[in-house]
Amino acid sequence: MKLYKRENYLKKIRGFYRADDIIKVITGARRRGKSSLIQTIAEEIVEHGALKENIIYIDLDRREYRKIREADQLEILIDGKVSNIQGLKYLFIDEVQNVKGFEEVLNGFRSEGEYSI
């Protein structure tokens, strides 16, 4: 992703970094820089004072997560990663569309008010 385009995307989303009442979605064609944009956002959140422990990044394309295909599996995975984290948690899930029923899981976490998704 070209630097000027990345900066434009970041400008659009920066105001929503801490928003726990909406789910933010980055869409686009494969191999266009969405994953690196997500990583940049996570880095900026830490630079602005969030603890690294509060950043939960799950890449469902990784081998260790390749069997996560159902909503219940995703929920268990997320719960395991956030169980000891206090305060606002920043939840990033790359390739979430691979999970059947992911919408209900994410909406459940959103409704708790402690997650910026």
Side-chain angles (χ1 to χ4, degrees):
M1 179 180 299
K2 295 186 179 180
L3 187 59
Y4 72 91
K5 280 189 176 183
R6 179 185 304 251
E7 187 58 35
N8 285 340
Y9 290 125
L10 289 170
K11 282 181 185 177
K12 290 179 183 180
I13 198 169
R14 278 187 182 119
F16 298 98
Y17 283 178
R18 295 188 52 80
D20 62 3
D21 58 337
I22 60 171
I23 296 173
K24 286 72 71 185
V25 180
I26 298 173
T27 62
R30 288 191 63 77
R31 313 298 309 159
R32 295 294 182 196
K34 296 179 299 296
S35 297
S36 62
L37 182 63
I38 289 171
Q39 292 169 348
T40 300
I41 291 168
E43 290 167 6
E44 282 192 0
I45 290 169
V46 170
E47 287 171 8
H48 287 95
L51 298 173
K52 273 190 170 183
E53 299 81 44
N54 289 46
I55 306 291
I56 299 94
Y57 179 79
I58 300 170
D59 181 355
L60 293 172
D61 267 350
R62 290 183 56 164
R63 283 185 53 216
E64 65 188 295
Y65 302 129
R66 75 182 191 287
K67 292 184 180 180
I68 305 292
R69 295 288 183 226
E70 300 293 328
D72 291 340
Q73 295 171 309
L74 179 62
E75 186 169 8
I76 291 167
L77 176 64
I78 295 168
D79 278 337
K81 291 190 172 290
V82 301
S83 62
N84 295 323
I85 298 174
Q86 300 296 315
L88 185 63
K89 299 153 200 74
Y90 299 88
L91 181 58
F92 298 91
I93 305 177
D94 207 347
E95 303 300 337
V96 73
Q97 76 279 359
N98 294 343
V99 177
K100 181 180 177 185
F102 73 88
E103 301 92 342
E104 291 179 5
V105 173
L106 295 185
N107 197 44
F109 282 100
R110 181 207 51 82
S111 69
E112 291 182 14
E114 295 181 0
Y115 296 86
S116 175
I117 304 170

